[in-house]
Amino acid sequence: MTDSLRDQLLGLGFKPAPKPEPKSERPAERKPGGKPPGRPQHPARGPRPPGARDERRQHAGGKPGGNPSGSGAAPGNKATPQGRPGGQRGANRPARSREDIDLAKAYAIRAQREKQERIEAERLKQEQARLRREARARVDALIEGKTLNDPAAELVRHFPYGGKIKRIHVTAEQLGALNAGQLGIVQQAGRYLLVTAALLDEVEAVFPPAVALRVDPNATAEEDPYADPKYQVPDDLIW
């Protein structure tokens, strides 16, 4: 086709035929285990100079010949928050000697024994108080309605009881019987009651501390100076 005809066809609106694209070369297939094509090959590395590895680790923040993390802890030792290995906990605390341990055990045993003794003493105290209350109640039942105190009695009979000098009002007949051991005196709730010798024996069998006075008829004047009716005690004397 001549150039004039091509120009005529272009003038009529026909487009020129597209030019064929040049064929591109296919990339070389990658062999298994090989490197991708086109990547520059590194030159063969020769032997490293001494200290090169340590220098590289120093730049990375580690220490030569140590842990790359820079903590300085040996493998297998877990560091504590204070920076000490876990196996060194309490290294600065002095170890307790065998003598200290034995002494602490002895103190603990003694404290436990003293505690048990206090508990036992308190138990015995409460038990004795209970027995005293029960005995007092039996004494009250024994002497109820059997006392011989006379409201009209004028004579005073003194006697020692509880470390102090006590007294009771009796008649002349009662005084003779009391000094002869035929009568006795029982203490009840702060009062002193005159009873027969037989009843006094029963009271003594139940609760001996309740017996305030039992006269021995064979006692001398030195043993019972208050038995003599002639023995005078000043009225203004406070007992």
Side-chain angles (χ1 to χ4, degrees):
M1 183 180 289
T2 61
D3 293 337
S4 60
L5 181 59
R6 185 178 60 183
D7 294 338
Q8 292 178 5
L9 291 174
L10 292 173
L12 293 175
F14 290 95
K15 295 182 180 181
K19 296 181 180 182
E21 296 181 358
K23 296 181 179 181
S24 60
E25 296 182 357
R26 295 178 64 184
E29 295 182 359
R30 184 175 180 181
K31 295 181 180 182
K35 296 181 180 181
R39 185 173 181 178
Q41 300 293 332
H42 292 285
R45 297 180 180 178
R48 294 182 180 178
R53 181 176 298 179
D54 296 339
E55 183 179 356
R56 186 175 62 179
R57 288 185 178 181
Q58 288 180 357
H59 288 296
K63 294 183 179 181
N67 192 353
S69 62
S71 61
N77 289 342
K78 187 176 181 181
T80 59
Q82 291 78 10
R84 296 182 300 177
Q88 299 295 331
R89 183 183 300 273
N92 296 332
R93 185 181 302 171
R96 298 178 64 184
S97 64
R98 183 59 180 269
E99 295 180 357
D100 294 340
I101 296 176
D102 294 342
L103 187 60
K105 289 182 179 179
Y107 281 139
I109 293 173
R110 187 179 70 177
Q112 181 65 21
R113 183 172 61 252
E114 291 178 351
K115 180 180 179 181
Q116 293 177 353
E117 291 176 354
R118 289 194 299 270
I119 294 175
E120 181 65 15
E122 183 64 23
R123 188 190 67 81
L124 292 176
K125 181 179 178 181
Q126 294 178 0
E127 181 67 13
Q128 291 175 358
R130 182 184 66 82
L131 294 176
R132 288 177 65 90
R133 289 193 300 269
E134 293 178 356
R136 284 285 187 184
R138 290 198 298 269
V139 168
D140 294 343
L142 278 175
I143 66 176
E144 184 178 2
K146 300 177 183 178
T147 59
L148 304 176
N149 295 65
D150 188 352
E154 298 180 354
L155 297 179
V156 177
R157 176 58 160 92
H158 293 87
F159 59 94
Y161 179 72
K164 296 181 180 180
I165 302 300
K166 306 298 181 179
R167 66 179 181 177
I168 186 173
H169 288 83
V170 293
T171 63
E173 183 180 357
Q174 290 175 341
L175 180 59
L178 184 60
N179 293 335
Q182 299 173 359
L183 299 178
I185 300 176
V186 175
Q187 189 269 349
Q188 181 193 48
R191 299 181 303 164
Y192 299 96
L193 307 176
L194 197 65
V195 297
T196 62
L199 185 57
L200 190 67
D201 293 338
E202 295 182 18
V203 171
E204 186 174 14
V206 174
F207 189 54
V211 177
L213 178 62
R214 177 191 290 273
V215 178
D216 183 4
N218 299 323
T220 61
E222 290 78 10
E223 294 175 351
D224 188 9
Y226 301 103
D228 189 354
K230 296 181 179 179
Y231 187 83
Q232 298 293 329
V233 178
D235 296 336
D236 58 349
L237 181 61
I238 299 176
W239 298 93

